[in-house]
Amino acid sequence: MPPSIHLDNLTLGYERHPAVHHLTLVLAPGSLVGVVGPNGSGKSTLLKALAGQLSPMQGQIQGLAGRRVAYLPQQAEVDRSFPIRVGDLVAMGLWHEIGALGGLTATQRERCRNALQSVGMDDFAHRTLDSLSGGQFQRALFARLLLQDADLILLDEPFAAVDTRTTEDLLSILARWHRAGKTVLVVLHDLAQVMAHCPDALLLARSAVAFGRTSDVLTPANLQQARRMTEAWDETAEVCPQTGGATAFAAQRHTPAARPRLELP
């Protein structure tokens, strides 16, 4: 079983502006965690750091060394105009096996077909990406994730602008990963989905409001606190306090913004 993932006084940001402040928590192996919070609360930033795309400004992440990580960003960050077929996109999930120049064996091609079948895309292998609907494209991306066979899976709003049937089918894949003991973090805005499908939840508002069992995290009091805590960047405001950690960073300034709406289902 892979080790737990430890976030120790983790601060993340862009161009010296902190987006996530002093986050300390432990993700147990096999967790299925719904990451929720108002817009601008640092959810996507946290996933980018766990995916290795963003270095900490302060603190550290432990437990990722040597692990295979699968990261699915928001659809808006994926270029669908790239001229490849669905089958080629899905086969990229085997990159860790074939490398940049390797071809697919008969067994690997069969695995690609099975992955497409698992997401209801059996007949789409020769279609180009720009011919797919939003739901079909997301299904193809999940097929690629299946082939990556990572033990840490990071999903950033995977059901945004996706039809209900596709959402239900892909939620069943999340449940399959959870049963297989994989660690899954999924950013969701639909709190009803989090309550129904995620045993654990992390409520962010640039820092952790609550983390643990979903029923204990998504309480009216915690959601109200998240609205109060969400902050915007402002270089003229009070300096962000620092609370230890191995790596210091330049003093950052911030001030409360308008309170985004975040409600219980």
Side-chain angles (χ1 to χ4, degrees):
M1 179 175 291
S4 300
I5 298 171
H6 294 252
L7 311 184
D8 180 18
N9 195 34
L10 185 67
T11 294
L12 306 166
Y14 308 92
E15 297 180 355
R16 299 193 308 149
H17 294 283
V20 175
H21 299 257
H22 314 301
L23 185 60
T24 297
L25 57 85
V26 177
L27 297 168
S31 300
L32 173 52
V33 181
V35 183
V36 299
N39 291 335
S41 59
K43 303 182 295 295
S44 296
T45 300
L46 174 60
L47 262 60
K48 287 178 180 178
L50 289 169
Q53 297 188 2
L54 186 66
S55 298
M57 300 171 66
Q58 180 181 9
Q60 57 187 332
I61 304 173
Q62 297 178 321
L64 294 180
R67 297 181 71 160
R68 187 176 301 152
V69 179
Y71 170 51
L72 183 62
Q74 296 179 23
Q75 275 208 19
E77 299 180 31
V78 180
D79 183 8
R80 294 177 58 183
S81 66
F82 196 73
I84 62 172
R85 299 174 302 175
V86 170
D88 298 325
L89 171 72
V90 173
M92 290 179 182
L94 295 173
W95 179 276
H96 61 283
E97 297 181 13
I98 63 177
L101 302 177
L104 294 174
T105 66
T107 300
Q108 289 169 332
R109 292 186 186 278
E110 181 66 20
R111 288 165 61 193
C112 291
R113 287 191 289 269
N114 291 340
L116 280 169
Q117 185 176 23
S118 295
V119 298
M121 297 276 285
D122 315 44
D123 301 324
F124 285 77
H126 297 288
R127 293 268 297 269
T128 56
L129 299 186
D130 59 2
S131 71
L132 302 181
S133 69
Q136 290 166 345
F137 183 58
Q138 202 70 349
R139 286 174 184 267
L141 292 173
F142 264 68
R144 184 179 67 178
L145 287 171
L146 287 169
L147 290 175
Q148 287 181 258
D149 195 28
D151 59 56
L152 174 60
I153 301 169
L154 310 170
L155 308 171
D156 195 351
E157 298 188 33
F159 311 128
V162 171
D163 60 276
T164 301
R165 180 176 176 181
T166 296
T167 297
E168 292 173 350
D169 289 346
L170 299 184
L171 280 168
S172 70
I173 294 177
L174 261 68
R176 186 201 310 180
W177 284 329
H178 184 48
R179 290 192 299 270
K182 298 180 183 296
T183 302
V184 182
L185 273 74
V186 53
V187 172
L188 295 171
H189 280 290
D190 187 333
L191 299 187
Q193 288 178 351
V194 180
M195 294 289 288
H197 300 282
C198 300
D200 297 303
L202 169 62
L203 177 56
L204 279 179
R206 296 195 181 272
S207 59
V209 177
F211 173 60
R213 304 302 294 176
T214 298
S215 58
D216 296 329
V217 170
L218 298 185
T219 65
N222 285 340
L223 295 172
Q224 183 177 19
Q225 183 180 357
R227 289 195 294 269
R228 290 197 302 265
M229 289 174 58
T230 301
E231 300 168 329
W233 298 333
D234 183 348
E235 294 193 357
T236 67
E238 182 181 354
V239 174
C240 172
Q242 300 183 32
T243 57
T247 306
F249 66 98
Q252 306 302 324
R253 302 174 182 273
H254 53 275
T255 191
R259 297 175 182 176
R261 188 174 184 181
L262 182 64
E263 298 179 348
L264 282 169

